[in-house]
Amino acid sequence: MIFFDNASTSRVREECLNILTHFYINEYYNPSSLYSPSVKVSTKLKQAREGIIKALNGSGNLVFTSGGTESDNLALLGLSLPKYSNIVLSSVEHSAIYNTGNHLKQLGYDVRFCKSDSVGCVDVASLIELIDDKTSLVSIMHVCNETGAINDIKLLCRKIKAINKNIIFHSDGVQALGKIKIDLDDINVDLYSLSAHKINAPKGTGALFIRQGINLTGILFGGAQEKGLRPSTENVAGIFAFEKAIKLALAEIKQHNETFRQIREKIMRELPKIDDKIIILSNENCADNILTFASNSVRGEVLLHALSDREILVGTGSACSSKNKTHRIPEALGLQKDYHDGLLRLSFGIYNTLEEADIFVKELSIAYDYLKRFKRS
Amino acid sequence: MIFFDNASTSRVREECLNILTHFYINEYYNPSSLYSPSVKVSTKLKQAREGIIKALNGSGNLVFTSGGTESDNLALLGLSLPKYSNIVLSSVEHSAIYNTGNHLKQLGYDVRFCKSDSVGCVDVASLIELIDDKTSLVSIMHVCNETGAINDIKLLCRKIKAINKNIIFHSDGVQALGKIKIDLDDINVDLYSLSAHKINAPKGTGALFIRQGINLTGILFGGAQEKGLRPSTENVAGIFAFEKAIKLALAEIKQHNETFRQIREKIMRELPKIDDKIIILSNENCADNILTFASNSVRGEVLLHALSDREILVGTGSACSSKNKTHRIPEALGLQKDYHDGLLRLSFGIYNTLEEADIFVKELSIAYDYLKRFKRS
């Protein structure tokens, strides 16, 4: 099986599994309990938190959540934004931001969506145009989950705060973590979302970085865990596996990106030979692990199934919206209409090899040639 | 190590660990993806959902969450309760309900707290008295996490709906699951919260049962998972482990309760010999796995640490509030003031044995006699 859908989720790595097993069976104690084995877990939790903050060079706090979606929700809904203020998001944000934005709109906020270029990068002029003295929050993803496009968050933060220094800047870093360099103090974001299961740690764990001085209130109510910002017994096993996965991912980032680049280049070279009308959306400025392309001859979903029959797993874009038939993303990318249903996203992970790229190209070519015969009218 | 704090959390059982490992390493696919290995996971997710609903005999839906706290929040906040309506909770509810209730109060709802008896059972007359034609929601826990007190939810539901048939009844079943019989259709609750990590499944997973016809909207925003009620990639490994743990717990309920009863009776018999002023809060009508008592001579926290030094782990009540020094629970139980700091909660689990009860009594006696000498003035 060739798994080229690592941006949707990923296999838990052995090093994380060992940690999970240990905390499931041995140190399973509730970190809020008062006896010493619990205090030990609680101390380790503190160390994991500090370890992650340090690894990402952030001056602030880190709240553990159930995943990227909850982190995004906590960021946008946990801020007590002034009524009548406006909020600016990009039009290619993940649904966890996009739909939370729509919810804020329903609550009466003026939610504005800035344009992106054809790769999924925020159009800086369009973003700046939407900012004014009533803007309270800007949320722009670091790496686009659909195309791998990298936004220059440092530049955006600087430009935006130059216009209005009170703006809070959030970035969804779910697809950036372990794929590109993250230096939270350098890019100067106020809030930054992370997810574990995209970097070979288990599903059900995420985190939100909160810069010192940013006031957030919890969106769930209950116990006093996570400094009152996120009640519920902490998923300690998941958190410790997450910490390990982050450290490993950061240590191996160059090595894996080199492989991803080679895989991507090989496939990019071959795609025009399969069909010279294929549009490649990702470019060399995108994160190395994502390659998205579109066809106007074969539907992405059909191609996905044909490849799946040949033991190759790819995506048609975000899994979170794969069952929702909308064209929000291709529209935002300005893709020609006849390509809208032809999107395919390949996303590589630590277990992929260059040989798999060869097999992929071969199988894609066979499947594509076969399917093109049934070209949509 | 003797672990008598299973109501705070519990060790993951071997059968769950096997499932977790399988879904971490082999079937790690995102259930929202479109290819067949994901569809297979998605189908299993559906089966797990239906399996749990069937095991608890409920006519309705089950939404998987990150735990009991989120389930409680989703129940109370996901209902679009009419403004100016009132909400009735018991005064001994877990903080996940109690503090969500306080949040609703801040939003302008009339939130009322009914009394409990000295064991933690809801005082039926006090509850009924608070109900009127403007009551929109009642939330009463099935088993009290502090004492093991069992509320007759069937009776309460019937009485309350006889007064006002439009009232929605929620029950926090976190401490009931696997400990007492749960028949959702028989007790006729509308919403029912569950948690995995109290029944030897991992932390980070819970569920909310929603009776057919009850309209709920999600409290987090994002993808369309869980029929739009709970976005975020499903924690499939945790969910399948949870399902397994539920089935095992229900199959073994009699066997384990028999052991719990024996452990509890043995300790109950010995407590008066250690100090005849000890007040035993739990009684034979409580869930078999919990035994809570209070002393006016030795502080619970001090006793907890002394026992911890002797490798016996117990609680002073809910771990979720153990670091919060309030007397909400002893006050609600009407406990004499000089006993307020003297609470100790023992909660038994599937790995406990009768022999451990002997050791506990012996060690408690030694620790107690020693500490009593420093009796508080």
Side-chain angles (χ1 to χ4, degrees):
Chain A
M1 189 80 84
I2 296 177
F3 187 66
F4 274 178
D5 196 22
N6 291 275
S8 82
T9 193
S10 61
R11 178 173 150 188
V12 172
R13 56 193 299 172
E14 210 67 42
E15 301 93 329
C16 292
L17 193 65
N18 293 338
I19 290 172
L20 290 161
T21 304
H22 171 78
F23 286 95
Y24 285 151
I25 300 292
N26 302 113
E27 285 191 82
Y28 53 85
Y29 311 106
N30 191 321
S32 294
S33 293
L34 300 174
Y35 36 77
S36 58
S38 278
V39 173
K40 227 170 114 184
V41 175
S42 173
T43 304
K44 287 182 186 178
L45 196 61
K46 191 170 167 268
Q47 287 163 349
R49 195 187 313 278
E50 288 165 359
I52 295 172
I53 292 175
K54 198 178 163 200
L56 303 177
N57 194 37
S59 301
N61 187 19
L62 191 88
V63 176
F64 291 111
T65 66
S66 66
T69 293
E70 191 190 325
S71 299
D72 285 343
N73 274 260
L74 178 57
L76 269 60
L77 305 178
L79 291 166
S80 302
L81 298 173
K83 285 268 167 204
Y84 314 114
S85 69
N86 66 69
I87 296 161
V88 183
L89 315 174
S90 96
S91 49
V92 292
E93 292 295 312
H94 184 274
S95 56
I97 290 292
Y98 195 84
N99 288 338
T100 308
N102 281 331
H103 172 69
L104 286 164
K105 206 169 178 176
Q106 282 176 4
L107 294 181
Y109 288 95
D110 174 7
V111 181
R112 303 167 176 185
F113 294 93
C114 73
K115 286 181 197 158
S116 82
D117 67 13
S118 60
V119 184
C121 264
V122 156
D123 181 90
V124 183
S126 151
L127 173 61
I128 297 300
E129 210 176 47
L130 297 174
I131 306 293
D132 58 36
D133 59 351
K134 284 209 176 107
T135 306
S136 56
L137 171 71
V138 172
S139 179
I140 304 289
M141 67 210 313
H142 202 169
V143 169
C144 176
N145 59 302
E146 302 283 347
T147 59
I150 301 171
N151 286 305
D152 187 343
I153 300 294
K154 184 178 178 174
L155 176 90
L156 298 178
C157 261
R158 200 176 53 222
K159 280 188 181 272
I160 282 164
K161 296 200 176 194
I163 302 172
N164 175 348
K165 67 177 172 38
N166 297 319
I167 291 173
I168 293 172
F169 199 110
H170 168 259
S171 183
D172 179 339
V174 168
Q175 296 291 346
L177 184 62
K179 306 305 185 302
I180 64 166
K181 190 177 152 66
I182 300 173
D183 183 325
L184 295 170
D185 279 357
D186 182 53
I187 60 177
N188 201 26
V189 283
D190 298 306
L191 299 160
Y192 197 84
S193 299
L194 303 168
S195 167
H197 77 106
K198 314 287 192 187
I199 58 160
N200 307 96
K203 298 167 183 66
T205 302
L208 179 69
F209 166 77
I210 306 166
R211 184 164 299 285
Q212 221 161 10
I214 298 295
N215 287 320
L216 218 65
T217 51
I219 55 174
L220 296 173
F221 306 90
Q225 290 95 343
E226 300 292 291
K227 299 183 184 172
L229 273 171
R230 209 268 171 177
S232 200
T233 302
E234 297 92 338
N235 179 359
V236 282
I239 289 169
F240 296 136
F242 186 23
E243 181 206 10
K244 183 75 176 175
I246 290 178
K247 289 190 172 162
L248 290 170
L250 296 184
E252 299 165 355
I253 196 163
K254 272 192 186 170
Q255 165 205 336
H256 291 308
N257 275 343
E258 181 54 37
T259 309
F260 300 160
R261 255 193 306 275
Q262 288 175 19
I263 295 175
R264 187 167 68 172
E265 276 166 19
K266 184 168 273 186
I267 298 171
M268 269 180 162
R269 262 198 315 273
E270 298 299 322
L271 284 177
K273 300 180 195 165
I274 292 171
D275 180 352
D276 62 3
K277 284 193 177 142
I278 282 177
I279 296 175
I280 298 175
L281 291 161
S282 312
N283 62 28
E284 58 289 345
N285 296 324
C286 291
D288 298 314
N289 64 312
I290 295 184
L291 168 53
T292 298
F293 58 91
S295 161
N296 63 347
S297 299
V298 181
R299 289 183 58 216
E301 198 176 325
V302 174
L303 205 47
L304 176 147
H305 287 298
L307 289 168
S308 166
D309 288 345
R310 292 160 185 271
E311 306 247 296
I312 298 173
L313 307 183
V314 301
T316 49
S318 165
C320 293
S321 54
S322 61
K323 288 173 182 170
N324 262 5
K325 311 289 180 201
T326 71
H327 292 125
R328 173 168 73 88
I329 300 302
E331 274 167 14
L333 299 176
L335 201 63
Q336 297 159 237
K337 248 200 167 137
D338 52 335
Y339 282 83
H340 280 196
D341 289 321
L343 275 175
L344 218 64
R345 180 187 69 180
L346 315 181
S347 50
F348 316 117
I350 60 171
Y351 295 113
N352 290 134
T353 63
L354 202 52
E355 289 67 45
E356 290 179 330
D358 288 324
I359 301 170
F360 172 79
V361 168
K362 207 183 104 198
E363 295 293 349
L364 177 73
S365 176
I366 297 169
Y368 199 92
D369 283 347
Y370 178 77
L371 293 168
K372 216 169 51 177
R373 288 191 254 158
F374 308 103
K375 189 183 166 174
R376 294 160 296 158
S377 59
Chain B
M1 189 78 87
I2 296 177
F3 188 65
F4 274 178
D5 196 22
N6 290 275
S8 82
T9 193
S10 61
R11 179 173 150 188
V12 172
R13 54 193 299 170
E14 209 67 42
E15 302 93 327
C16 291
L17 192 66
N18 293 337
I19 290 172
L20 289 161
T21 305
H22 172 77
F23 286 95
Y24 285 151
I25 300 292
N26 303 112
E27 285 192 81
Y28 54 84
Y29 310 107
N30 191 321
S32 294
S33 293
L34 300 174
Y35 34 78
S36 57
S38 279
V39 173
K40 227 170 114 186
V41 174
S42 173
T43 305
K44 287 182 187 179
L45 196 61
K46 192 170 166 266
Q47 287 163 349
R49 196 187 312 279
E50 288 165 359
I52 295 172
I53 292 175
K54 199 179 163 198
L56 303 177
N57 194 37
S59 302
N61 187 19
L62 191 87
V63 175
F64 291 111
T65 66
S66 66
T69 292
E70 190 190 328
S71 299
D72 284 343
N73 275 261
L74 178 57
L76 268 60
L77 305 178
L79 290 166
S80 303
L81 298 173
K83 285 267 168 203
Y84 315 115
S85 68
N86 66 69
I87 297 161
V88 183
L89 315 173
S90 95
S91 48
V92 293
E93 291 296 312
H94 184 274
S95 56
I97 290 293
Y98 195 84
N99 289 338
T100 307
N102 281 331
H103 173 69
L104 285 165
K105 207 169 176 174
Q106 282 175 3
L107 294 181
Y109 288 95
D110 173 7
V111 181
R112 305 166 176 186
F113 294 93
C114 73
K115 287 181 195 158
S116 82
D117 66 14
S118 60
V119 183
C121 264
V122 154
D123 180 271
V124 183
S126 151
L127 172 61
I128 296 301
E129 211 175 47
L130 297 174
I131 305 293
D132 57 36
D133 58 351
K134 283 207 177 110
T135 306
S136 56
L137 171 70
V138 171
S139 180
I140 303 289
M141 68 211 312
H142 203 169
V143 168
C144 175
N145 59 303
E146 301 283 348
T147 59
I150 301 171
N151 285 305
D152 187 343
I153 300 293
K154 183 178 180 176
L155 176 91
L156 297 179
C157 260
R158 202 177 52 223
K159 279 187 182 273
I160 282 163
K161 296 200 174 192
I163 302 171
N164 175 349
K165 68 177 172 38
N166 296 320
I167 291 173
I168 293 171
F169 198 111
H170 167 260
S171 182
D172 179 339
V174 168
Q175 296 292 346
L177 184 62
K179 306 305 185 300
I180 63 166
K181 190 178 153 65
I182 301 173
D183 183 325
L184 294 170
D185 280 356
D186 182 53
I187 61 178
N188 202 26
V189 283
D190 298 306
L191 299 159
Y192 197 85
S193 298
L194 303 168
S195 168
H197 77 106
K198 314 286 190 186
I199 59 161
N200 308 97
K203 298 168 183 65
T205 302
L208 178 69
F209 166 77
I210 306 166
R211 184 166 298 287
Q212 219 161 11
I214 298 295
N215 287 321
L216 218 64
T217 52
I219 54 173
L220 296 173
F221 306 90
Q225 290 94 343
E226 300 292 293
K227 298 182 185 174
L229 274 171
R230 209 268 170 180
S232 200
T233 301
E234 298 91 338
N235 179 357
V236 282
I239 289 169
F240 296 137
F242 185 24
E243 181 207 10
K244 184 74 177 177
I246 291 178
K247 289 190 172 162
L248 289 170
L250 296 184
E252 299 165 355
I253 195 165
K254 272 192 187 171
Q255 167 206 333
H256 290 308
N257 275 342
E258 181 54 36
T259 308
F260 299 160
R261 255 193 305 276
Q262 288 175 20
I263 294 174
R264 187 167 68 172
E265 276 166 20
K266 183 168 276 186
I267 298 171
M268 269 180 162
R269 262 198 316 272
E270 298 299 323
L271 284 177
K273 298 179 197 167
I274 292 172
D275 180 351
D276 61 3
K277 283 191 178 145
I278 282 177
I279 295 175
I280 297 175
L281 290 161
S282 311
N283 62 28
E284 59 289 343
N285 296 324
C286 290
D288 298 315
N289 64 311
I290 295 184
L291 168 52
T292 298
F293 58 90
S295 161
N296 63 347
S297 301
V298 181
R299 289 184 59 217
E301 199 176 324
V302 174
L303 205 47
L304 176 147
H305 287 298
L307 288 168
S308 167
D309 288 345
R310 292 160 184 274
E311 306 248 296
I312 297 173
L313 307 183
V314 302
T316 49
S318 164
C320 293
S321 54
S322 61
K323 288 173 183 172
N324 262 4
K325 312 286 178 201
T326 72
H327 292 125
R328 173 168 73 88
I329 300 302
E331 273 167 16
L333 299 176
L335 201 63
Q336 296 158 236
K337 252 207 164 127
D338 53 335
Y339 282 84
H340 280 195
D341 289 323
L343 275 176
L344 218 66
R345 181 188 69 180
L346 315 181
S347 49
F348 317 116
I350 60 171
Y351 295 114
N352 290 133
T353 63
L354 202 52
E355 289 67 45
E356 291 180 327
D358 288 325
I359 301 170
F360 171 79
V361 167
K362 207 182 105 200
E363 295 292 349
L364 177 74
S365 177
I366 296 169
Y368 199 92
D369 284 346
Y370 178 77
L371 294 168
K372 216 168 51 178
R373 288 191 253 159
F374 308 103
K375 191 181 164 173
R376 294 160 296 157
S377 59

